[in-house]
Amino acid sequence: MSDVYKLIEIVGTSTKSYEDATQNAITKASETLKAISWFQVVEQRGAVKDGKIAEFQVILKVGFKLVD
Amino acid sequence: MSDVYKLIEIVGTSTKSYEDATQNAITKASETLKAISWFQVVEQRGAVKDGKIAEFQVILKVGFKLVD
Amino acid sequence: MSDVYKLIEIVGTSTKSYEDATQNAITKASETLKAISWFQVVEQRGAVKDGKIAEFQVILKVGFKLVD
Amino acid sequence: MSDVYKLIEIVGTSTKSYEDATQNAITKASETLKAISWFQVVEQRGAVKDGKIAEFQVILKVGFKLVD
Amino acid sequence: MSDVYKLIEIVGTSTKSYEDATQNAITKASETLKAISWFQVVEQRGAVKDGKIAEFQVILKVGFKLVD
Amino acid sequence: MSDVYKLIEIVGTSTKSYEDATQNAITKASETLKAISWFQVVEQRGAVKDGKIAEFQVILKVGFKLVD
Amino acid sequence: MSDVYKLIEIVGTSTKSYEDATQNAITKASETLKAISWFQVVEQRGAVKDGKIAEFQVILKVGFKLVD
Amino acid sequence: MSDVYKLIEIVGTSTKSYEDATQNAITKASETLKAISWFQVVEQRGAVKDGKIAEFQVILKVGFKLVD
Amino acid sequence: MSDVYKLIEIVGTSTKSYEDATQNAITKASETLKAISWFQVVEQRGAVKDGKIAEFQVILKVGFKLVD
Amino acid sequence: MSDVYKLIEIVGTSTKSYEDATQNAITKASETLKAISWFQVVEQRGAVKDGKIAEFQVILKVGFKLVD
Amino acid sequence: MSDVYKLIEIVGTSTKSYEDATQNAITKASETLKAISWFQVVEQRGAVKDGKIAEFQVILKVGFKLVD
Amino acid sequence: MSDVYKLIEIVGTSTKSYEDATQNAITKASETLKAISWFQVVEQRGAVKDGKIAEFQVILKVGFKLVD
């Protein structure tokens, strides 16, 4: 049968960059999902403390193949 | 490691109000998810019968922390 | 033949709540349309007077079946 | 000269409803702006604690006339 | 209590049509979810090889009732 | 005078395809409107029963010239 | 009872400007609707012939009060 | 340090055209802001009276450099 | 060096289906572009004549690799 | 074979109006493209100098038929 | 009383990265606003000179609490 | 005559960051286009392999002046 994929939405955080926040989210999701193959950025946000960026936050859609 | 969150999409219903429909959806989701911390309204709809609102429906994204 | 529906866009107002504004719009539309079965919220706005909400306004799409 | 208006974006919160969160935001903004005449809802969100809605949050655009 | 639904996002593929890609996604999702009752098309895409459509891809939101 | 057109929003349904659902909606609308000249797809949805697509639904904007 | 309004979507055309196309659409709609009180621009398009703009087209939502 | 700009949202009105409504809004905003350098149109609306356009309204984002 | 792709926007037409309109657009584009590898549907429209769909129109973004 | 069209995105500028900026863009594009038949406005912006509009800018999608 | 927040829109620039452009914007805004607590990315753009990125630009919404 | 610009859509890739993916796309496009002056980010995506980000992908609109 033809391939079917699932998309889930997760939020990664990092004190360094959006790229690092993305990797953190994917690392966590990979603990339970082995077949993640792509991601799309939905939104980028962050927290500020005393005039400094305290946290980068990235909302992602992550796609993986549903296996039999 | 930095925090990672998951977002799921649910639909709550109520005969009273959008606020009540939202609480109904969160009550149901909380049966299996203990760490829900925020929600965002995606869409508000409703059903009508004989010229009266029969049901308020609210589509929500609900966010919770992925724990280790 | 299969069912066909029509969507019209109406604006309801109320001094009390969005739910009440929605019911007001549907009550008015039901005077001429008997088969309204659902609505979707398009936008929520309001008027302010002397620092108080004077009117809640809700823009709705209202759906009903076209009968033979 | 013809009228000119300004729009600002504010976030109101309430433990009760979106309508109450909206009034709270407008009450606060009215302390410094006397001429607020309308608002538009941009987004509705909320906080959850122990499976209960702890706070309704509403992001508003608020419009007022620029006076001479 | 009033009904609560969940929406998940899946991607179906087919060499024939979007309708077939949609059925393939729902067939796969139905292996684990018995109560699917509606779907909404989020996006339609496809793969091309040597100037021919090699695969139709449809991203769907699929809704089902959360049962007790 | 220059031409003026009106757009109405209708929903067609079919057990076969989105194309058939579109034709069904236009056939029904043509009973009362003679001058329909174009349509735009607003949304595609469907109903599912026992893991099978039970109905394709297409929301259309349909345009026609207002005649004198 | 509180006021209820209806929104319809029309397309005006003009060889001169978007403002003229808008007035043309409203003039035509006013033949059957007496209570039009506002409009919103949905889209601006046009036709081109031999490298010259042949027609400005404006898609409008037009609002009017439903009277008793 | 690198340049930083601020965007504010204003609404201009005119009985003549959108271009005139835009200039009116910028003239008013320039009374207190000297460094306005660009604008973006967010929305175009208008008021109608007796089948004639009574007022063009344009919602603008206006950008200016924050100076030291 | 890493891969770079270009996206172009084309409109295909067909009297049969959206799938056929898509293939027609890709066939035409492939006359001058050899490396087309994917497409995304931007919009679906159509022409109507005498109450029958006369033409399906599909607006596509088509992606291909820029080769050295 | 059925018709295929291409859409390109261009930006026109003018010190006078959006209509003039649109014609300028189409005049320039027509130097190399003979078959332009329609345009859609994507965005309207402008430059400001000393509180006066210095330039109207209009981002357009321009459509033309691909000929054999 | 419940908390009320304000959102303002600013544009940061940097020759290095979007993260640096974001910090620059927040540093500047913090000169006059002490309570900034979060930001959302609205748009990412940039300037190019001789085939090199000359400037990263990030449009942000920045939120802060309105204090009594 | 007033300036006219063209916008094209390209996709850059990089194993390092979105900024690097953007520069790669612009470097490639600059081989044939000398006058690129700005870009806008349309979408950010990526590929994942074995729980690691394998590729950052950025979809850009790139603007350049049409010269005589």
Side-chain angles (χ1 to χ4, degrees):
Chain A
M1 210 190 85
S2 57
D3 296 339
V4 177
Y5 301 84
K6 188 175 177 184
L7 284 164
I8 59 165
E9 201 161 351
I10 52 177
V11 187
T13 61
S14 162
T15 56
K16 283 188 277 182
S17 69
Y18 295 118
E19 284 83 350
D20 193 52
T22 301
Q23 182 59 66
N24 285 344
I26 288 169
T27 299
K28 182 74 189 171
S30 296
E31 292 176 8
T32 48
L33 297 169
K34 292 305 167 203
I36 293 175
S37 58
W38 85 94
F39 65 88
Q40 309 156 231
V41 175
V42 175
E43 194 180 343
Q44 291 169 311
R45 305 170 62 101
V48 177
K49 204 169 168 178
D50 300 329
K52 302 280 177 211
I53 298 170
E55 190 179 69
F56 293 99
Q57 300 159 352
V58 63
I59 306 178
L60 302 170
K61 286 204 184 175
V62 166
F64 55 93
K65 195 173 161 178
L66 290 175
V67 288
D68 299 303
Chain B
M1 210 189 84
S2 57
D3 295 339
V4 177
Y5 301 83
K6 189 174 177 183
L7 285 163
I8 59 165
E9 201 161 352
I10 52 178
V11 187
T13 61
S14 163
T15 56
K16 284 187 278 181
S17 68
Y18 295 118
E19 285 83 350
D20 192 52
T22 301
Q23 182 59 65
N24 285 344
I26 288 169
T27 298
K28 182 73 189 171
S30 296
E31 291 176 8
T32 49
L33 297 168
K34 291 305 166 203
I36 294 175
S37 57
W38 86 93
F39 64 89
Q40 308 156 232
V41 175
V42 175
E43 194 179 343
Q44 291 169 312
R45 305 170 63 101
V48 177
K49 205 169 167 176
D50 299 329
K52 301 281 177 211
I53 298 171
E55 188 179 70
F56 294 98
Q57 300 158 350
V58 62
I59 306 178
L60 301 170
K61 287 203 184 176
V62 166
F64 54 93
K65 196 173 161 179
L66 290 176
V67 289
D68 300 303
Chain C
M1 210 189 84
S2 57
D3 295 339
V4 178
Y5 301 84
K6 189 174 177 184
L7 285 163
I8 59 164
E9 200 161 352
I10 52 177
V11 187
T13 61
S14 163
T15 56
K16 283 189 278 182
S17 69
Y18 295 118
E19 284 83 351
D20 192 52
T22 300
Q23 181 59 66
N24 285 344
I26 288 169
T27 299
K28 182 74 189 169
S30 296
E31 292 176 8
T32 50
L33 297 168
K34 291 304 166 204
I36 294 175
S37 57
W38 85 93
F39 65 89
Q40 308 157 231
V41 175
V42 175
E43 194 180 342
Q44 290 168 314
R45 305 171 62 102
V48 177
K49 206 170 166 176
D50 299 329
K52 302 280 177 211
I53 298 170
E55 189 179 70
F56 293 98
Q57 300 158 350
V58 62
I59 306 178
L60 302 170
K61 286 204 185 174
V62 167
F64 53 94
K65 195 173 163 179
L66 291 175
V67 289
D68 300 303
Chain D
M1 211 189 84
S2 58
D3 296 339
V4 177
Y5 302 84
K6 189 174 176 183
L7 285 163
I8 60 166
E9 201 161 352
I10 53 178
V11 187
T13 61
S14 163
T15 55
K16 282 187 281 181
S17 69
Y18 295 118
E19 283 83 351
D20 192 52
T22 300
Q23 182 59 65
N24 286 344
I26 288 169
T27 298
K28 182 73 189 170
S30 295
E31 291 176 8
T32 49
L33 297 169
K34 292 304 167 203
I36 294 174
S37 57
W38 86 92
F39 66 88
Q40 310 155 233
V41 175
V42 176
E43 193 179 343
Q44 291 168 312
R45 305 171 61 102
V48 177
K49 207 170 165 175
D50 299 330
K52 301 281 178 210
I53 298 172
E55 190 180 69
F56 293 98
Q57 300 159 350
V58 64
I59 306 178
L60 302 171
K61 288 204 184 174
V62 166
F64 54 93
K65 196 173 161 178
L66 290 175
V67 288
D68 300 301
Chain E
M1 211 189 83
S2 56
D3 295 339
V4 178
Y5 301 83
K6 189 174 177 183
L7 284 164
I8 60 164
E9 202 162 350
I10 53 177
V11 187
T13 61
S14 163
T15 56
K16 283 186 278 180
S17 69
Y18 295 118
E19 284 83 352
D20 192 51
T22 300
Q23 181 59 66
N24 285 344
I26 288 169
T27 299
K28 182 73 188 171
S30 295
E31 291 175 8
T32 49
L33 298 168
K34 292 304 165 203
I36 293 175
S37 57
W38 86 93
F39 65 88
Q40 310 156 230
V41 175
V42 176
E43 194 180 342
Q44 290 169 314
R45 305 171 61 101
V48 177
K49 207 170 166 176
D50 300 329
K52 300 283 178 210
I53 298 171
E55 189 179 71
F56 293 98
Q57 301 159 350
V58 63
I59 305 178
L60 302 170
K61 287 204 184 175
V62 166
F64 54 94
K65 194 171 163 180
L66 290 176
V67 289
D68 301 302
Chain F
M1 210 189 85
S2 57
D3 295 339
V4 177
Y5 302 84
K6 189 174 178 183
L7 285 163
I8 60 164
E9 201 161 351
I10 52 176
V11 187
T13 61
S14 163
T15 55
K16 282 188 279 181
S17 68
Y18 295 118
E19 284 83 351
D20 192 53
T22 301
Q23 182 58 66
N24 286 343
I26 288 169
T27 299
K28 183 73 189 170
S30 295
E31 291 176 8
T32 50
L33 298 168
K34 290 304 166 203
I36 294 175
S37 58
W38 86 93
F39 65 88
Q40 309 155 230
V41 176
V42 175
E43 194 179 343
Q44 290 168 313
R45 305 170 62 102
V48 177
K49 206 170 165 177
D50 299 330
K52 302 281 177 210
I53 299 171
E55 189 180 70
F56 293 98
Q57 300 158 350
V58 62
I59 305 177
L60 301 170
K61 287 203 184 176
V62 166
F64 55 93
K65 195 172 161 179
L66 291 175
V67 288
D68 300 302
Chain G
M1 209 189 87
S2 57
D3 295 339
V4 178
Y5 302 84
K6 188 173 176 184
L7 285 163
I8 60 164
E9 202 162 351
I10 53 177
V11 188
T13 61
S14 163
T15 56
K16 284 188 278 181
S17 69
Y18 295 118
E19 284 84 351
D20 192 52
T22 301
Q23 181 60 65
N24 285 345
I26 288 169
T27 299
K28 183 72 189 171
S30 296
E31 291 175 8
T32 49
L33 298 168
K34 292 305 167 201
I36 294 176
S37 58
W38 85 93
F39 65 89
Q40 309 156 230
V41 176
V42 175
E43 194 180 344
Q44 290 169 313
R45 305 171 61 102
V48 177
K49 204 170 168 175
D50 299 329
K52 301 281 177 210
I53 298 170
E55 189 179 71
F56 294 97
Q57 300 158 351
V58 62
I59 305 177
L60 302 170
K61 287 204 183 174
V62 166
F64 54 93
K65 196 172 161 179
L66 290 175
V67 289
D68 300 303
Chain H
M1 210 188 85
S2 57
D3 295 338
V4 178
Y5 301 84
K6 189 173 177 183
L7 285 164
I8 59 165
E9 201 160 351
I10 52 177
V11 187
T13 61
S14 163
T15 55
K16 283 188 279 183
S17 68
Y18 295 118
E19 284 83 352
D20 192 53
T22 301
Q23 182 59 66
N24 285 345
I26 288 169
T27 299
K28 183 73 188 169
S30 295
E31 291 176 8
T32 49
L33 298 168
K34 291 304 166 202
I36 294 175
S37 58
W38 86 94
F39 65 89
Q40 309 155 230
V41 175
V42 176
E43 194 179 344
Q44 291 170 312
R45 305 171 62 103
V48 176
K49 205 169 166 177
D50 299 330
K52 301 282 177 210
I53 299 171
E55 189 179 69
F56 293 98
Q57 301 159 350
V58 63
I59 305 178
L60 301 170
K61 287 204 183 176
V62 166
F64 55 93
K65 195 174 161 178
L66 291 175
V67 288
D68 300 305
Chain I
M1 210 188 85
S2 57
D3 295 339
V4 177
Y5 301 84
K6 188 173 177 184
L7 285 164
I8 60 164
E9 201 160 352
I10 53 178
V11 187
T13 60
S14 163
T15 55
K16 281 187 282 182
S17 68
Y18 295 118
E19 284 82 352
D20 192 51
T22 301
Q23 181 60 65
N24 285 345
I26 288 169
T27 299
K28 183 73 188 168
S30 295
E31 291 176 9
T32 50
L33 297 168
K34 291 303 166 205
I36 294 175
S37 57
W38 85 92
F39 65 89
Q40 309 156 232
V41 175
V42 175
E43 194 180 343
Q44 290 169 313
R45 304 171 63 99
V48 177
K49 207 170 165 176
D50 299 329
K52 300 281 177 209
I53 298 171
E55 189 179 70
F56 294 98
Q57 302 159 349
V58 62
I59 306 178
L60 301 171
K61 287 204 183 174
V62 166
F64 54 93
K65 195 173 162 178
L66 290 176
V67 289
D68 301 301
Chain J
M1 210 188 85
S2 57
D3 295 338
V4 178
Y5 302 84
K6 189 174 177 183
L7 285 163
I8 59 164
E9 201 161 351
I10 53 176
V11 187
T13 62
S14 162
T15 55
K16 282 188 279 182
S17 69
Y18 295 119
E19 283 83 352
D20 192 52
T22 301
Q23 181 58 67
N24 286 344
I26 288 168
T27 299
K28 183 74 188 169
S30 295
E31 291 176 9
T32 49
L33 298 168
K34 291 307 166 201
I36 294 175
S37 58
W38 85 93
F39 65 89
Q40 309 155 231
V41 175
V42 176
E43 194 181 343
Q44 290 169 311
R45 306 171 60 102
V48 177
K49 205 170 167 175
D50 299 330
K52 301 281 176 210
I53 298 171
E55 190 179 70
F56 293 97
Q57 301 158 350
V58 62
I59 305 178
L60 301 170
K61 287 204 183 174
V62 166
F64 54 93
K65 195 172 160 178
L66 290 175
V67 289
D68 300 303
Chain K
M1 209 189 87
S2 58
D3 295 339
V4 178
Y5 302 84
K6 189 174 176 182
L7 284 164
I8 60 165
E9 201 161 352
I10 52 177
V11 187
T13 62
S14 162
T15 56
K16 283 188 278 182
S17 68
Y18 294 118
E19 283 83 351
D20 192 52
T22 301
Q23 181 60 66
N24 285 344
I26 288 169
T27 299
K28 183 73 189 171
S30 295
E31 292 176 8
T32 49
L33 298 169
K34 291 306 166 203
I36 294 174
S37 58
W38 86 93
F39 65 89
Q40 309 156 232
V41 176
V42 175
E43 193 180 344
Q44 291 168 313
R45 304 171 62 102
V48 176
K49 206 171 165 174
D50 299 330
K52 302 281 177 210
I53 298 170
E55 190 180 70
F56 293 98
Q57 300 159 350
V58 62
I59 305 178
L60 301 170
K61 287 203 183 175
V62 166
F64 54 93
K65 194 172 162 180
L66 290 175
V67 289
D68 301 302
Chain L
M1 211 190 86
S2 58
D3 296 339
V4 178
Y5 301 84
K6 189 174 176 183
L7 285 163
I8 59 164
E9 201 161 352
I10 52 178
V11 187
T13 61
S14 164
T15 54
K16 282 187 280 182
S17 68
Y18 294 118
E19 284 83 351
D20 193 53
T22 301
Q23 181 58 66
N24 285 345
I26 288 169
T27 298
K28 183 73 189 170
S30 296
E31 291 176 8
T32 49
L33 297 169
K34 291 306 166 203
I36 293 174
S37 59
W38 86 92
F39 64 89
Q40 308 155 232
V41 175
V42 175
E43 194 179 344
Q44 291 168 311
R45 305 171 61 102
V48 176
K49 206 171 165 176
D50 298 330
K52 302 281 177 210
I53 299 171
E55 190 179 67
F56 293 98
Q57 301 158 350
V58 61
I59 305 178
L60 302 170
K61 287 204 183 174
V62 166
F64 54 93
K65 196 173 161 177
L66 290 176
V67 289
D68 300 304

